[in-house]
Amino acid sequence: MRLRLTVHDLARVGLSGADPLFELTSSLQLLQSRESASDFNWWKRWVRHRLPESTRMLAWLCRPGTAVPAFLLPFPGRQDLDAAVAAVRETGVEELRTGVLLAANGRELPGWAAKLADGETSAIVEALRDYFESALGPHWRLIRAQVEADRDRRTQILLNGGVYALLNSLRPAMTWCCPPLTGDSGEDNDVLLHNARLVLLPAFFALSPAVVTGPASQPTRLVYPAGRDSGQAQPVLGTAPSGQRKALADLLGPTRAAALRTMSSGCSTSELATLLGVTPSAISRHTSVLRQAGLINTYRDRNTVLHSLTPLGSTLLES
């Protein structure tokens, strides 16, 4: 894949935060793929028994190795699920029908797909919300933290070195050889922006670079794997070298050590319990010990108890 950029294109390059529907559709393709990165195996095992029945509709639309229907990847201007789902709900009949027929690829349309092609979006909107809540919701804070950490780092590169340095920083996912920006996406084709603005979108579930286009009035998104400049995928829980993990576990105990690593991006009690596979009451006991030791801060946001590392906790984890 070669993205050919003019001087006008370079002057309008932007950066985006986490896109919930891109993460959703990419995770669905990864879930169905037999050749996905091993770093995601933990998530695939965790999620398989939690999927709602409506996931079958989304899986039909988001098969591995095929383009996701454009109506599932709107550009609402705000990086939140409500805005994205609202854009899907308001999609015109012509765009819905085009997307459904492309996804069908000659197959007979199931009843729900025929209704979707006729403009009935309520079922697919409900499926999007159900899947997000079941598969991504418990991890969303950590997914978003990794994506936004990548975006913030690229922003600093842009401020300090300009667009040239920004595009160079995308290696190895993309290679900047002015004028083309080249990525190993498995496709040998040239992509022109046709006066659309280019927005760089780091994505947690992206395994390779991809270009997402839309109507002429919308930006073109260049998607690349977030936070993987080494070329290796990073799981949500994160890992440390085995020697460091053992030393931390010997000091704090394995569960508290894992909790401390997980809280490096901030998370709630329920998220900790889900990710570590223990009960919320057990997590509360562990966080109490860590808080009394001055390693974490805890505060309440309405009905959610949130935890984050103190400077002492960060120092201990980094050392």
Side-chain angles (χ1 to χ4, degrees):
M1 175 185 67
R2 292 173 297 276
L3 188 60
R4 298 199 172 274
L5 305 175
T6 67
V7 173
H8 181 64
D9 296 330
L10 293 173
R12 299 195 300 164
V13 171
L15 292 157
S16 176
D19 185 322
L21 286 191
F22 189 89
E23 300 293 355
L24 186 153
T25 54
S26 296
S27 70
L28 273 164
Q29 291 183 315
L30 185 149
L31 188 61
Q32 300 175 80
S33 173
R34 296 181 179 179
E35 300 179 358
S36 60
S38 60
D39 285 336
F40 292 100
N41 285 343
W42 67 268
W43 175 80
K44 293 175 74 171
R45 291 193 300 269
W46 176 86
V47 79
R48 285 192 188 279
H49 302 295
R50 294 168 169 80
L51 295 176
E53 178 64 23
S54 59
T55 299
R56 62 185 176 82
M57 295 189 289
L58 299 175
W60 190 90
L61 291 167
C62 303
R63 288 175 294 132
T66 63
V68 174
F71 66 83
L72 287 180
L73 295 174
F75 198 94
R78 292 189 296 145
Q79 308 303 305
D80 64 84
L81 184 65
D82 288 340
V85 168
V88 174
R89 183 185 294 112
E90 296 164 5
T91 304
V93 174
E94 183 177 348
E95 185 177 350
L96 288 171
R97 182 173 295 117
T98 299
V100 169
L101 292 177
L102 285 175
N105 193 27
R107 296 175 295 171
E108 183 179 354
L109 296 184
W112 64 266
K115 292 180 180 178
L116 179 61
D118 288 336
E120 176 52 62
T121 59
S122 58
I124 204 68
V125 164
E126 183 178 356
L128 290 170
R129 290 192 179 278
D130 288 346
Y131 177 83
F132 187 92
E133 181 179 348
S134 301
L136 301 186
H139 312 290
W140 185 245
R141 188 188 304 273
L142 302 179
I143 292 170
R144 186 175 59 190
Q146 181 165 317
V147 170
E148 294 186 352
D150 184 287
R151 180 201 59 190
D152 292 346
R153 185 163 67 87
R154 309 288 175 188
T155 299
Q156 287 301 314
I157 292 172
L158 177 63
L159 289 173
N160 294 328
V163 174
Y164 190 91
L166 172 64
L167 297 181
N168 265 326
S169 76
L170 297 176
R171 294 174 182 266
M174 302 291 294
T175 302
W176 171 233
C177 300
C178 183
L181 186 61
T182 306
D184 183 14
S185 64
E187 298 180 359
D188 184 19
N189 62 314
D190 288 340
V191 179
L192 300 176
L193 295 185
H194 298 297
N195 207 38
R197 180 169 174 256
L198 179 66
V199 174
L200 306 185
L201 171 62
F204 182 82
F205 283 104
L207 298 181
S208 61
V211 172
V212 179
T213 58
S217 60
Q218 293 184 357
T220 292
R221 283 165 284 180
L222 172 60
V223 183
Y224 63 91
R228 298 175 205 149
D229 290 352
S230 64
Q232 299 297 318
Q234 299 175 10
V236 170
L237 292 179
T239 58
S242 58
Q244 293 179 11
R245 292 201 304 271
K246 184 177 185 302
L248 191 62
D250 289 343
L251 177 65
L252 300 177
T255 302
R256 288 174 192 162
L260 197 69
R261 288 195 297 269
T262 304
M263 285 186 280
S264 61
S265 299
C267 59
S268 68
T269 297
S270 60
E271 286 172 339
L272 271 175
T274 299
L275 295 171
L276 301 184
V278 298
T279 64
S281 59
I283 285 295
S284 294
R285 291 194 296 272
H286 289 305
T287 54
S288 178
V289 171
L290 294 173
R291 185 167 53 254
Q292 291 172 10
L295 299 177
I296 66 171
N297 288 318
T298 299
Y299 61 98
R300 181 177 294 276
D301 181 11
R302 287 170 290 185
N303 295 325
T304 303
V305 177
L306 302 171
H307 309 282
S308 61
L309 299 186
T310 64
L312 178 60
S314 296
T315 300
L316 176 63
L317 191 62
E318 292 169 1
S319 64

PDB file of all heavy atoms in Angstrom, residues 170-189:
ATOM      1  N   LEU A 170       6.496   6.670  12.181  1.00  0.00           N
ATOM      2  CA  LEU A 170       5.557   5.559  12.009  1.00  0.00           C
ATOM      3  C   LEU A 170       6.250   4.243  11.664  1.00  0.00           C
ATOM      4  O   LEU A 170       5.596   3.209  11.571  1.00  0.00           O
ATOM      5  CB  LEU A 170       4.543   5.896  10.913  1.00  0.00           C
ATOM      6  CG  LEU A 170       3.635   7.097  11.192  1.00  0.00           C
ATOM      7  CD1 LEU A 170       2.745   7.373  10.002  1.00  0.00           C
ATOM      8  CD2 LEU A 170       2.791   6.862  12.442  1.00  0.00           C
ATOM      9  N   ARG A 171       7.567   4.264  11.462  1.00  0.00           N
ATOM     10  CA  ARG A 171       8.281   3.011  11.203  1.00  0.00           C
ATOM     11  C   ARG A 171       8.144   2.085  12.417  1.00  0.00           C
ATOM     12  O   ARG A 171       8.149   2.549  13.546  1.00  0.00           O
ATOM     13  CB  ARG A 171       9.772   3.284  10.954  1.00  0.00           C
ATOM     14  CG  ARG A 171      10.061   4.077   9.687  1.00  0.00           C
ATOM     15  CD  ARG A 171      11.549   4.414   9.601  1.00  0.00           C
ATOM     16  NE  ARG A 171      11.856   5.204   8.426  1.00  0.00           N
ATOM     17  CZ  ARG A 171      12.273   4.695   7.256  1.00  0.00           C
ATOM     18  NH1 ARG A 171      12.421   3.392   7.143  1.00  0.00           N
ATOM     19  NH2 ARG A 171      12.520   5.472   6.238  1.00  0.00           N
ATOM     20  N   PRO A 172       8.045   0.778  12.216  1.00  0.00           N
ATOM     21  CA  PRO A 172       8.114   0.026  10.967  1.00  0.00           C
ATOM     22  C   PRO A 172       6.753  -0.176  10.297  1.00  0.00           C
ATOM     23  O   PRO A 172       6.695  -0.782   9.232  1.00  0.00           O
ATOM     24  CB  PRO A 172       8.673  -1.320  11.416  1.00  0.00           C
ATOM     25  CG  PRO A 172       8.102  -1.507  12.766  1.00  0.00           C
ATOM     26  CD  PRO A 172       8.045  -0.125  13.391  1.00  0.00           C
ATOM     27  N   ALA A 173       5.664   0.292  10.925  1.00  0.00           N
ATOM     28  CA  ALA A 173       4.337   0.087  10.323  1.00  0.00           C
ATOM     29  C   ALA A 173       4.250   0.763   8.964  1.00  0.00           C
ATOM     30  O   ALA A 173       3.700   0.203   8.010  1.00  0.00           O
ATOM     31  CB  ALA A 173       3.244   0.621  11.250  1.00  0.00           C
ATOM     32  N   MET A 174       4.790   1.988   8.866  1.00  0.00           N
ATOM     33  CA  MET A 174       4.779   2.739   7.613  1.00  0.00           C
ATOM     34  C   MET A 174       6.170   3.310   7.375  1.00  0.00           C
ATOM     35  O   MET A 174       6.873   3.658   8.326  1.00  0.00           O
ATOM     36  CB  MET A 174       3.765   3.877   7.673  1.00  0.00           C
ATOM     37  CG  MET A 174       2.335   3.465   7.948  1.00  0.00           C
ATOM     38  SD  MET A 174       1.557   2.556   6.600  1.00  0.00           S
ATOM     39  CE  MET A 174       1.465   3.817   5.306  1.00  0.00           C
ATOM     40  N   THR A 175       6.559   3.424   6.104  1.00  0.00           N
ATOM     41  CA  THR A 175       7.861   3.977   5.744  1.00  0.00           C
ATOM     42  C   THR A 175       7.652   5.230   4.904  1.00  0.00           C
ATOM     43  O   THR A 175       6.956   5.190   3.878  1.00  0.00           O
ATOM     44  CB  THR A 175       8.690   2.956   4.943  1.00  0.00           C
ATOM     45  OG1 THR A 175       8.851   1.766   5.726  1.00  0.00           O
ATOM     46  CG2 THR A 175      10.061   3.522   4.614  1.00  0.00           C
ATOM     47  N   TRP A 176       8.223   6.338   5.356  1.00  0.00           N
ATOM     48  CA  TRP A 176       8.067   7.621   4.678  1.00  0.00           C
ATOM     49  C   TRP A 176       9.218   7.815   3.704  1.00  0.00           C
ATOM     50  O   TRP A 176      10.367   7.974   4.092  1.00  0.00           O
ATOM     51  CB  TRP A 176       8.035   8.734   5.711  1.00  0.00           C
ATOM     52  CG  TRP A 176       8.078  10.153   5.203  1.00  0.00           C
ATOM     53  CD1 TRP A 176       8.947  11.123   5.594  1.00  0.00           C
ATOM     54  CD2 TRP A 176       7.208  10.760   4.247  1.00  0.00           C
ATOM     55  NE1 TRP A 176       8.681  12.303   4.941  1.00  0.00           N
ATOM     56  CE2 TRP A 176       7.603  12.106   4.105  1.00  0.00           C
ATOM     57  CE3 TRP A 176       6.126  10.300   3.492  1.00  0.00           C
ATOM     58  CZ2 TRP A 176       6.972  12.995   3.254  1.00  0.00           C
ATOM     59  CZ3 TRP A 176       5.485  11.183   2.638  1.00  0.00           C
ATOM     60  CH2 TRP A 176       5.909  12.503   2.523  1.00  0.00           C
ATOM     61  N   CYS A 177       8.912   7.762   2.391  1.00  0.00           N
ATOM     62  CA  CYS A 177       9.889   7.997   1.323  1.00  0.00           C
ATOM     63  C   CYS A 177       9.288   9.056   0.402  1.00  0.00           C
ATOM     64  O   CYS A 177       8.742   8.728  -0.651  1.00  0.00           O
ATOM     65  CB  CYS A 177      10.187   6.721   0.555  1.00  0.00           C
ATOM     66  SG  CYS A 177      10.854   5.379   1.553  1.00  0.00           S
ATOM     67  N   CYS A 178       9.357  10.297   0.832  1.00  0.00           N
ATOM     68  CA  CYS A 178       8.688  11.406   0.171  1.00  0.00           C
ATOM     69  C   CYS A 178       8.755  11.278  -1.359  1.00  0.00           C
ATOM     70  O   CYS A 178       9.846  11.142  -1.921  1.00  0.00           O
ATOM     71  CB  CYS A 178       9.337  12.706   0.614  1.00  0.00           C
ATOM     72  SG  CYS A 178       8.557  14.183  -0.041  1.00  0.00           S
ATOM     73  N   PRO A 179       7.570  11.263  -2.063  1.00  0.00           N
ATOM     74  CA  PRO A 179       6.239  11.563  -1.555  1.00  0.00           C
ATOM     75  C   PRO A 179       5.414  10.381  -1.042  1.00  0.00           C
ATOM     76  O   PRO A 179       4.443  10.605  -0.347  1.00  0.00           O
ATOM     77  CB  PRO A 179       5.541  12.189  -2.772  1.00  0.00           C
ATOM     78  CG  PRO A 179       6.160  11.476  -3.939  1.00  0.00           C
ATOM     79  CD  PRO A 179       7.584  11.221  -3.546  1.00  0.00           C
ATOM     80  N   PRO A 180       5.717   9.089  -1.399  1.00  0.00           N
ATOM     81  CA  PRO A 180       4.797   8.056  -0.908  1.00  0.00           C
ATOM     82  C   PRO A 180       5.070   7.655   0.537  1.00  0.00           C
ATOM     83  O   PRO A 180       6.213   7.656   1.013  1.00  0.00           O
ATOM     84  CB  PRO A 180       5.056   6.880  -1.856  1.00  0.00           C
ATOM     85  CG  PRO A 180       6.466   7.036  -2.284  1.00  0.00           C
ATOM     86  CD  PRO A 180       6.743   8.512  -2.298  1.00  0.00           C
ATOM     87  N   LEU A 181       4.003   7.318   1.259  1.00  0.00           N
ATOM     88  CA  LEU A 181       4.060   6.730   2.589  1.00  0.00           C
ATOM     89  C   LEU A 181       3.647   5.284   2.411  1.00  0.00           C
ATOM     90  O   LEU A 181       2.501   4.992   2.044  1.00  0.00           O
ATOM     91  CB  LEU A 181       3.105   7.462   3.533  1.00  0.00           C
ATOM     92  CG  LEU A 181       3.119   7.082   5.015  1.00  0.00           C
ATOM     93  CD1 LEU A 181       4.493   7.331   5.633  1.00  0.00           C
ATOM     94  CD2 LEU A 181       2.058   7.886   5.763  1.00  0.00           C
ATOM     95  N   THR A 182       4.572   4.354   2.621  1.00  0.00           N
ATOM     96  CA  THR A 182       4.372   2.967   2.233  1.00  0.00           C
ATOM     97  C   THR A 182       4.188   2.085   3.452  1.00  0.00           C
ATOM     98  O   THR A 182       4.908   2.216   4.451  1.00  0.00           O
ATOM     99  CB  THR A 182       5.568   2.454   1.410  1.00  0.00           C
ATOM    100  OG1 THR A 182       5.787   3.344   0.308  1.00  0.00           O
ATOM    101  CG2 THR A 182       5.318   1.055   0.898  1.00  0.00           C
ATOM    102  N   GLY A 183       3.211   1.179   3.368  1.00  0.00           N
ATOM    103  CA  GLY A 183       2.956   0.250   4.460  1.00  0.00           C
ATOM    104  C   GLY A 183       2.773  -1.154   3.935  1.00  0.00           C
ATOM    105  O   GLY A 183       2.278  -1.362   2.821  1.00  0.00           O
ATOM    106  N   ASP A 184       3.173  -2.148   4.741  1.00  0.00           N
ATOM    107  CA  ASP A 184       3.024  -3.550   4.358  1.00  0.00           C
ATOM    108  C   ASP A 184       1.665  -4.041   4.821  1.00  0.00           C
ATOM    109  O   ASP A 184       1.524  -4.669   5.869  1.00  0.00           O
ATOM    110  CB  ASP A 184       4.131  -4.392   4.986  1.00  0.00           C
ATOM    111  CG  ASP A 184       4.050  -5.856   4.554  1.00  0.00           C
ATOM    112  OD1 ASP A 184       3.322  -6.124   3.585  1.00  0.00           O
ATOM    113  OD2 ASP A 184       4.710  -6.697   5.200  1.00  0.00           O
ATOM    114  N   SER A 185       0.622  -3.747   4.047  1.00  0.00           N
ATOM    115  CA  SER A 185      -0.738  -4.145   4.391  1.00  0.00           C
ATOM    116  C   SER A 185      -1.184  -5.387   3.628  1.00  0.00           C
ATOM    117  O   SER A 185      -2.326  -5.828   3.762  1.00  0.00           O
ATOM    118  CB  SER A 185      -1.710  -3.001   4.080  1.00  0.00           C
ATOM    119  OG  SER A 185      -1.733  -2.741   2.691  1.00  0.00           O
ATOM    120  N   GLY A 186      -0.285  -5.943   2.826  1.00  0.00           N
ATOM    121  CA  GLY A 186      -0.649  -7.098   2.020  1.00  0.00           C
ATOM    122  C   GLY A 186      -1.259  -6.717   0.684  1.00  0.00           C
ATOM    123  O   GLY A 186      -1.621  -7.591  -0.098  1.00  0.00           O
ATOM    124  N   GLU A 187      -1.402  -5.416   0.409  1.00  0.00           N
ATOM    125  CA  GLU A 187      -1.988  -4.954  -0.847  1.00  0.00           C
ATOM    126  C   GLU A 187      -0.975  -4.090  -1.597  1.00  0.00           C
ATOM    127  O   GLU A 187      -0.298  -3.266  -1.001  1.00  0.00           O
ATOM    128  CB  GLU A 187      -3.261  -4.135  -0.579  1.00  0.00           C
ATOM    129  CG  GLU A 187      -4.362  -4.917   0.115  1.00  0.00           C
ATOM    130  CD  GLU A 187      -5.602  -4.075   0.354  1.00  0.00           C
ATOM    131  OE1 GLU A 187      -5.574  -2.884  -0.020  1.00  0.00           O
ATOM    132  OE2 GLU A 187      -6.569  -4.589   0.913  1.00  0.00           O
ATOM    133  N   ASP A 188      -0.883  -4.297  -2.902  1.00  0.00           N
ATOM    134  CA  ASP A 188       0.018  -3.511  -3.745  1.00  0.00           C
ATOM    135  C   ASP A 188      -0.810  -2.513  -4.529  1.00  0.00           C
ATOM    136  O   ASP A 188      -1.229  -2.768  -5.661  1.00  0.00           O
ATOM    137  CB  ASP A 188       0.792  -4.444  -4.682  1.00  0.00           C
ATOM    138  CG  ASP A 188       1.826  -3.673  -5.511  1.00  0.00           C
ATOM    139  OD1 ASP A 188       2.181  -2.548  -5.106  1.00  0.00           O
ATOM    140  OD2 ASP A 188       2.243  -4.192  -6.558  1.00  0.00           O
ATOM    141  N   ASN A 189      -1.073  -1.383  -3.909  1.00  0.00           N
ATOM    142  CA  ASN A 189      -1.916  -0.383  -4.576  1.00  0.00           C
ATOM    143  C   ASN A 189      -1.527   1.017  -4.133  1.00  0.00           C
ATOM    144  O   ASN A 189      -0.927   1.206  -3.068  1.00  0.00           O
ATOM    145  CB  ASN A 189      -3.394  -0.637  -4.263  1.00  0.00           C
ATOM    146  CG  ASN A 189      -3.703  -0.514  -2.780  1.00  0.00           C
ATOM    147  OD1 ASN A 189      -2.987  -1.051  -1.939  1.00  0.00           O
ATOM    148  ND2 ASN A 189      -4.762   0.197  -2.446  1.00  0.00           N
TER     149      ASN A 189
END
